Amino acid sequence: MKYDYLIVGAGLFGAVFAREAKRKGKKCLVVERRNHIAGNVYCEEVHGIQVHRYGAHIFHTSDRRIWDYVCQFAEFNNYVNSPIARYKDELYNLPFNMNTFSKMWNIATPAEAKEIIAAQIADLGIIMPKNLEEQALSLVGRDVYEKLIKGYTEKQWGRDCRDLPAFIIKRLPLRFTYDNNYFNDRYQGIPIGGYTELVEKLLAGTEVRLNVDYLENRQELDRLADKIIYTGMIDQFYDYSLGVLQYRSVRFETEELEMENFQGNAVVNYTEREVPYTRIIEHKHFEFGKQPTTIISREYSSEWKKGDEPYYPVNDDRNNALYAQYRERAEKEARVIFGGRLGGYKYYDMDKVIAAALELCEVELR
């Protein structure tokens, strides 16, 4: 059987392209090396709780076109992302807002908060930040940095903040209102019933083969289609011939607890360096669950190595330059189109993944 497109990867990028290609009368085959669809947004129902197997995913966008698009395939609830940061025995609201500052300094007004932050920044006298630590200190002052940024960032990147480049934190938004909504986007929520159902609807009517590793079966699979949409790691596609791109990986420890409510919030960040995990997710709170038990996941950030699951790219100068070499090679491919987070070596929010897939569709499916 001949297909118009072989789509490698059943995540959001591949699923959106498959849906739009089918709508245009194209025949697609989707292959996925995992045993499930939906990539990293995959949700698995356990005792009535939608468990986000690869970490918390909250859909948010200010793009009405993208919001209208996803709402064709799922009804979204009114979940608002309002994470908590835990430093030792102290609890703070995120993002940094008046609730955070009021708790930290026992103050009540924006003027008091601004005065404290400005005084701390002035005392430090940092003119040209040379690393992430100096960049963060010059933006938020010492107290916020020491309690809420330093330890968490070092766990996330596996490096001391003084060894991380300043550009990783271009800005740190300070919100001088009592508003715990993490995102500024107009639209936000979680698909009722989880993301897997959403992706199932995108892939409806398209042939999907699970547990198929494209790179191990490349010759056979390439013969099946005119073109290939590849959403895996671009450096792996080329057998790392120009060098290995760096990623960060994440490991999850998930357990079910015989209690109704473990932490009272979906997301609690642990900002102390000494606590080995970065955060704990309590999945039921994404859908306001009332089940008698609860399921939590501890997240551990780690350096990626071959064989691990790559989660987000390390977009420093060295890696970006190496990716540009791979990209140059990729642009010469006659049959292969690279896309998605791994194919584009770029950290995408979900709405941006969907937007990028739709942009490709507009060009490719004219």
Side-chain angles (χ1 to χ4, degrees), residues 54-324:
Y54 302 95
H57 287 84
I58 298 99
F59 194 88
H60 59 100
T61 187
S62 290
D63 188 331
R64 179 62 185 264
R65 180 180 67 108
I66 299 301
W67 180 247
D68 288 344
Y69 185 82
V70 294
C71 285
Q72 297 175 84
F73 310 103
E75 181 181 353
F76 284 75
N77 67 18
N78 61 339
Y79 177 83
V80 171
N81 190 29
S82 304
I84 300 292
R86 179 166 182 163
Y87 176 78
K88 299 190 178 184
D89 292 327
E90 302 169 17
L91 297 175
Y92 295 97
N93 291 104
L94 296 175
F96 309 135
N97 68 72
M98 282 304 300
N99 288 306
T100 321
F101 308 141
S102 176
K103 174 73 178 287
M104 189 168 289
W105 299 312
N106 192 30
I107 59 166
T109 68
E112 290 172 292
K114 289 178 180 180
E115 185 178 351
I116 291 170
I117 292 168
Q120 290 188 5
I121 292 172
D123 284 345
L124 293 163
I126 299 168
I127 306 300
M128 292 288 288
K130 297 187 294 295
N131 53 51
L132 186 146
E133 176 168 283
E134 291 187 358
Q135 177 76 3
L137 286 168
S138 68
L139 292 170
V140 299
R142 186 169 298 283
D143 290 347
V144 173
Y145 170 74
E146 292 287 350
K147 290 189 175 185
L148 303 181
I149 297 172
K150 178 177 166 60
Y152 189 88
T153 303
E154 290 180 349
K155 287 188 288 188
Q156 196 173 30
W157 292 97
R159 295 162 178 80
D160 190 287
C161 284
R162 285 166 290 194
D163 297 327
L164 288 166
F167 69 77
I168 290 178
I169 295 183
K170 293 185 174 70
R171 64 185 187 90
L172 284 168
L174 300 174
R175 192 181 286 169
F176 294 98
T177 57
Y178 288 90
D179 179 8
N180 296 326
N181 183 353
Y182 194 82
F183 301 120
N184 292 316
D185 289 313
R186 170 69 180 84
Y187 308 103
Q188 180 176 178
I190 304 277
I192 295 171
Y195 288 95
T196 306
E197 282 188 13
L198 186 157
V199 177
E200 279 176 355
K201 289 177 181 174
L202 284 167
L203 291 170
T206 297
E207 183 181 349
V208 179
R209 299 181 190 175
L210 302 176
N211 300 303
V212 175
D213 190 320
Y214 165 77
L215 295 177
E216 289 182 2
N217 302 276
R218 190 185 302 201
Q219 285 187 320
E220 172 196 341
L221 291 168
D222 282 355
R223 288 196 291 266
L224 298 179
D226 297 326
K227 279 193 169 182
I228 297 140
I229 308 296
Y230 183 80
T231 69
M233 296 162 58
I234 190 170
D235 54 343
Q236 187 180 28
F237 181 90
Y238 290 109
D239 198 26
Y240 308 105
S241 57
L242 300 175
V244 179
L245 291 165
Q246 288 181 296
Y247 300 85
R248 293 295 292 173
S249 191
V250 184
R251 177 174 63 86
F252 302 92
E253 287 182 358
T254 299
E255 59 178 319
E256 185 169 5
L257 303 175
E258 295 296 324
M259 61 176 68
E260 187 179 348
N261 190 355
F262 173 72
Q263 63 186 18
N265 205 54
V267 182
V268 176
N269 292 357
Y270 284 75
T271 62
E272 273 182 274
R273 184 68 184 89
E274 292 69 27
V275 177
Y277 41 87
T278 54
R279 60 182 181 172
I280 296 179
I281 307 302
E282 188 168 9
H283 301 271
K284 71 190 303 178
H285 296 306
F286 290 125
E287 293 197 79
F288 318 110
K290 304 296 183 187
Q291 297 84 356
T293 61
T294 193
I295 297 173
I296 65 168
S297 296
R298 293 178 178 87
E299 295 189 14
Y300 298 80
S301 183
S302 61
E303 200 78 26
W304 175 87
K305 60 184 184 301
K306 289 180 184 178
D308 291 344
E309 204 64 57
Y311 276 81
Y312 51 94
V314 181
N315 287 121
D316 59 16
D317 292 342
R318 174 202 165 274
N319 284 294
N320 288 341
L322 179 56
Y323 167 69

